[in-house]
């Protein structure tokens, strides 16, 4: 005769929605945001599939960040070159409007940027100060968009019967290795004068403080800035610096670090197509010297035009 088996109750504790059965709340694992790169107005993942985990000085994991590759950079150059004609051809006043719109969008997301800066080791006071300065810097350059040409252009005296004009024009596609010791203000301080002057750019953001760079890309994507004018990559300087300086469709390089070996490498590789190289390694982006119309002019070419005219100055008066 079969005996009736007894079912024993399990002693395993199950957790539902972060709460255990005994009423003690279990520690929830935070879902880290994946910060993608920004190319041509889109947010793709790096084609290499690589990433790293950004941390702060306390060792807290902050986000998953893309490790960009050479192919990502090449695609960003294609996007920047495609956007250059339309952006440089816009009225200077319209470029100023768009930079002002970027400042408006950044103002609306101040709380998020302050929170990210605090996570990246800034105090609440310093974080708010940096975000406010970043907004003000965008407005500063928006005001210069339709004024620097008047200040830096000229009518040149010549001996022949001509008007001779010299006017600034944008250089083209600019690759930028942004300051690595700041997350937001350094990034905006190098991008704003580049696009104010009608150039397009590919920017390698801070590797140690990357959060604000991709969040700023979200601001750009929701402003009136055309896709491809600004492209933001994250990754290692040591890996990407050679490509930033030797690509044949890049017209100028901006380097903001004090690494003498990388300076030499960039200068050597830039000679392949006579790129202009600018080094801003001693600039304090939090001070007044972190903004100037001369930063716009660094990435302008001077075009001189001769226009024939009737020589009436030496003519005799007669009726």
């Amino acid at each position: 005769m079969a005996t009736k088996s007894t079912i024993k109750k399990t002693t395993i504790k199950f957790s539902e929605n972060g709460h255990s059965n005994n009423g003690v709340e279990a520690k929830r694992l935070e879902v880290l945001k994946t910060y993608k790169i920004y190319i041509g107005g889109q947010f793709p993942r790096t084609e290499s599939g690589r990433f790293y985990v950004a941390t702060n000085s306390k060792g807290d994991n902050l986000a998953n960040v893309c490790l960009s590759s050479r192919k990502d950079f090449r695609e960003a150059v294609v996007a920047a070159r495609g956007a250059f004609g339309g952006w440089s051809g816009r009225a200077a006043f319209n470029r100023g409007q768009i930079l002002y719109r970027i400042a408006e969008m950044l103002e609306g997301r101040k709380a998020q940027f302050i929170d990210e800066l605090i996570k990246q080791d800034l105090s609440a006071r310093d974080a708010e100060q940096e975000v406010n300065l970043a907004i003000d810097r965008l407005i500063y350059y928006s005001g210069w968009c339709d004024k620097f040409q008047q200040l830096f252009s000229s009518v040149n005296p010549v001996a022949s019967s001509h008007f001779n004009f010299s006017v600034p024009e944008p250089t083209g596609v600019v690759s930028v290795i942004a300051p690595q010791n700041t997350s937001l203000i350094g990034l905006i301080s190098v991008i704003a004068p580049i696009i104010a002057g009608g150039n397009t750019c590919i920017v390698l953001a801070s590797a140690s403080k990357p959060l604000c760079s991709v969040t700023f890309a979200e601001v750009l994507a929701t402003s009136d800035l055309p896709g491809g004018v600004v492209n933001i990559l994250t990754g290692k300087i040591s890996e990407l610096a050679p490509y930033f300086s030797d690509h044949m469709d890049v017209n100028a390089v901006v380097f903001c670090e004090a690494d003498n070996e990388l300076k030499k490498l960039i200068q050597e590789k830039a000679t392949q197509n006579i790129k202009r190289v600018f080094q801003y390694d001693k600039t304090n982006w939090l001070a007044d010297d972190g903004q100037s119309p001369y930063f716009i002019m660094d990435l302008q070419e001077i075009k001189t035009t001769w226009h024939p005219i009737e020589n009436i100055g030496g003519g005799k008066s007669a009726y």
Side-chain angles (χ1 to χ4, degrees), residues 296-310:
I296 301 177
M297 285 304 299
D298 281 347
L299 294 159
Q300 298 288 302
E301 306 286 349
I302 301 299
K303 181 178 78 175
T304 298
T305 303
W306 295 70
H307 182 73
I309 58 171
E310 180 186 0

Side-chain angles (χ1 to χ4, degrees), residues 14-28:
F14 291 96
S15 174
E16 298 179 6
N17 299 324
H19 296 275
S20 60
N21 289 341
N22 59 8
V24 179
E25 185 174 351
K27 184 177 180 181
R28 179 181 178 275

Side-chain angles (χ1 to χ4, degrees), residues 65-275:
V65 184
C66 287
L67 269 175
S68 301
S69 67
R70 181 181 187 180
K71 189 172 186 294
D72 295 322
F73 174 70
R74 289 163 61 184
E75 291 176 352
V77 172
V78 171
R81 178 59 65 187
F84 174 67
W87 181 245
S88 61
R90 283 180 180 251
F93 177 71
N94 183 235
R95 289 202 299 268
Q97 288 177 311
I98 292 173
L99 262 77
Y100 193 90
R101 178 61 176 166
I102 296 171
E104 288 180 336
M105 299 300 291
L106 183 54
E107 181 81 43
R109 297 179 64 169
K110 276 179 62 174
Q112 181 180 3
F113 281 93
I114 290 172
D115 181 60
E116 288 182 341
L117 288 170
I118 292 172
K119 287 181 179 179
Q120 295 174 120
D121 302 321
L122 280 188
S123 67
R125 178 178 176 276
D126 289 343
E128 184 174 4
Q129 179 184 2
E130 181 166 334
V131 175
N132 288 337
L133 182 58
I135 295 167
D136 294 345
R137 190 145 294 170
L138 285 166
I139 294 173
Y140 172 86
Y141 281 111
S142 75
W144 272 112
C145 284
D146 60 352
K147 298 176 182 66
F148 76 91
Q149 297 95 335
Q150 303 171 48
L151 182 63
F152 294 102
S153 62
S154 64
V155 178
N156 310 311
V158 293
S160 59
S161 300
H162 293 85
F163 280 136
N164 184 274
F165 305 98
S166 293
V167 295
E169 288 193 340
T171 294
V173 176
V174 183
S175 63
V176 183
I177 297 177
Q180 299 294 296
N181 60 344
T182 65
S183 183
L184 181 64
I185 188 60
L187 183 82
I188 288 178
S189 295
V190 292
I191 289 176
I194 291 172
I195 64 176
N199 299 288
T200 57
C201 61
I202 306 99
V203 186
L204 181 59
S206 171
S208 60
K209 302 176 185 293
L211 301 192
C212 291
S213 60
V214 183
T215 305
F216 182 63
E218 295 173 0
V219 168
L220 297 178
T222 53
S223 68
D224 299 326
L225 189 74
V229 174
V230 176
N231 305 273
I232 299 177
L233 306 181
T234 51
K236 299 177 181 178
I237 293 182
S238 57
E239 179 182 353
L240 295 175
Y243 312 134
F244 270 62
S245 52
D246 69 4
H247 196 291
M248 298 300 286
D249 202 25
V250 171
N251 304 110
V253 183
V254 173
F255 183 59
C256 300
E257 289 300 292
D259 188 318
N260 291 328
E261 290 186 9
L262 277 179
K263 283 182 185 179
K264 182 178 179 182
L265 179 143
I266 289 171
Q267 289 171 339
E268 289 176 350
K269 288 185 173 294
T271 59
Q272 295 181 30
N273 67 337
I274 320 298
K275 292 182 185 68

